[in-house]
């Protein structure tokens, strides 16, 4: 693990967007980027994680992670791949059920290559915008203050797992705010439309499913485009 929280300065030259879970559908995402005239020379795209599994193009994730305009936090699916490659017990039928067949079919060297790239992904990203700081994690911020997140992430595997797995806020319709940050953006739970609970924006509109679509959230206006 290279860093727990990665920080990005304001991007005065271009636009910043967040996108929900991609799950191996990079071609679909590419066409959405074309539709909004995404400019890779100026704009930036931040992923809330879960780049892989389920869709047909999981192996494209490595290429995308090398684009200088594309940044991602770690999702639970990246985390499973890391564990699997390290030989930690991941039940094969569960992994298969979660779309991991492509990964289990890779040879050891390829698995290690993906795991190394995924292990470099931070648990959280914070982006400075003209309207304030925006935080991104895959699933959940378990602290009341954004500034407490770093300590929580350092404290235990259990707490790191909460950040990439926990669905409590959406299940309990918890509208409490995460203080010290203008907004938090998460994915992980597929929804028919964007849901804002407190200052937490749930943006996984299931672009990886047949019925869903990708939502790109403008981090400056907090509007979906
Ligand atoms: Mn997820």
């Amino acid at each position: 693990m290279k860093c727990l929280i990665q920080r990005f300065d304001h991007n005065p030259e271009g636009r910043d967007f967040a996108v929900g879970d991609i799950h191996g559908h990079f071609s679909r995402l590419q066409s959405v980027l074309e539709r909004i005239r995404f400019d890779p020379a100026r704009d930036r795209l931040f992923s809330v994680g879960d780049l892989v599994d389920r869709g047909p193009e999981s192996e494209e994730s490595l290429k995308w992670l090398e684009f200088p305009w594309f940044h991602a936090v770690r999702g639970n699916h990246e985390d499973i791949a890391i564990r699997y490659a390290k030989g930690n017990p991941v039940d094969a039928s569960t992994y298969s059920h979660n779309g991991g067949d492509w990964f289990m079919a890779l040879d050891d060297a390829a698995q290690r290559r993906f795991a190394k790239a995924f292990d470099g992904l931070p648990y959280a990203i914070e982006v400075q915008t003209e309207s304030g700081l925006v935080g991104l994690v895959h699933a959940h911020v378990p602290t009341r203050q954004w500034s407490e997140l770093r300590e929580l992430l350092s404290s235990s595997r259990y707490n790191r797992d909460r950040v990439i797995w926990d669905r409590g806020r959406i299940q309990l319709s918890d509208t409490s705010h995460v203080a010290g940050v203008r907004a938090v953006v998460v994915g992980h739970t597929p929804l028919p439309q964007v849901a804002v609970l407190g200052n937490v924006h749930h943006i996984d509109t299931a672009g990886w499913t047949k019925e869903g679509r990708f939502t790109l959230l403008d981090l400056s206006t907090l509007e979906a485009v």
Side-chain angles (χ1 to χ4, degrees):
M1 190 188 319
K2 275 199 197 102
C3 80
L4 296 170
I5 303 180
Q6 193 175 0
R7 189 183 178 99
F8 291 85
D9 287 333
H10 178 42
N11 175 19
E13 299 297 315
R15 300 171 296 169
D16 285 339
F17 299 102
V19 66
D21 302 19
I22 298 165
H23 282 309
H25 279 284
F26 291 96
S27 304
R28 279 192 207 168
L29 176 58
Q30 183 65 47
S31 45
V32 176
L33 292 180
E34 283 160 21
R35 224 158 39 231
I36 63 155
R37 299 181 188 282
F38 184 86
D39 178 358
R42 295 141 91 81
D43 300 338
R44 299 185 295 195
L45 180 62
F46 295 91
S47 150
V48 297
D50 278 5
L51 308 173
V52 296
D53 298 345
R54 301 195 175 124
E57 301 160 341
S58 288
E59 295 192 44
E60 291 287 292
S61 56
L62 280 194
K63 188 180 92 190
W64 278 66
L65 286 173
E66 287 186 3
F67 292 146
W69 46 266
F70 182 77
H71 308 282
V73 298
R74 170 193 308 235
N76 57 308
H77 284 257
E78 284 75 50
D79 202 63
I80 294 169
I82 297 164
R83 290 187 196 206
Y84 189 87
K86 283 181 177 164
N88 289 3
V90 176
D91 177 59
S93 74
T94 306
Y95 196 12
S96 176
H97 180 73
N98 283 303
D101 284 336
W102 72 279
F103 193 81
M104 292 188 281
L106 296 174
D107 64 35
D108 286 0
Q111 287 183 359
R112 280 199 299 272
R113 210 159 52 238
F114 279 93
K116 189 171 171 225
F118 296 161
D119 211 14
L121 298 177
Y123 281 87
I125 280 178
E126 47 190 25
V127 184
Q128 194 57 254
T129 73
E130 58 192 10
S131 321
L133 193 69
V134 175
L136 295 92
V137 299
H138 181 58
H140 181 55
V141 174
T143 55
R144 294 191 51 145
Q145 288 278 345
W146 178 259
S147 60
E148 294 163 355
L149 183 61
R150 186 178 301 275
E151 199 185 328
L152 177 115
L153 285 168
S154 327
S155 66
S156 67
R157 171 92 230 176
Y158 168 77
N159 278 327
R160 287 192 287 280
D161 279 350
R162 290 166 73 194
V163 172
I164 58 175
W165 285 95
D166 195 296
R167 288 198 167 92
R169 176 176 285 269
I170 198 101
Q171 283 166 350
L172 303 171
S173 300
D174 173 4
T175 57
S176 61
H177 278 242
V178 178
V181 71
R182 178 176 172 233
V184 172
V185 182
V186 304
H188 190 48
T189 302
L191 301 167
Q193 64 240 333
V194 171
V196 185
L197 292 171
N199 59 344
V200 181
H201 296 243
H202 295 255
I203 65 161
D204 182 12
T205 49
W208 47 277
T209 65
K210 246 200 192 109
E211 305 76 23
R213 69 205 147 73
F214 282 118
T215 295
L216 294 194
L217 189 78
D218 184 312
L219 293 187
S220 183
T221 62
L222 297 177
E223 302 278 338
V225 288

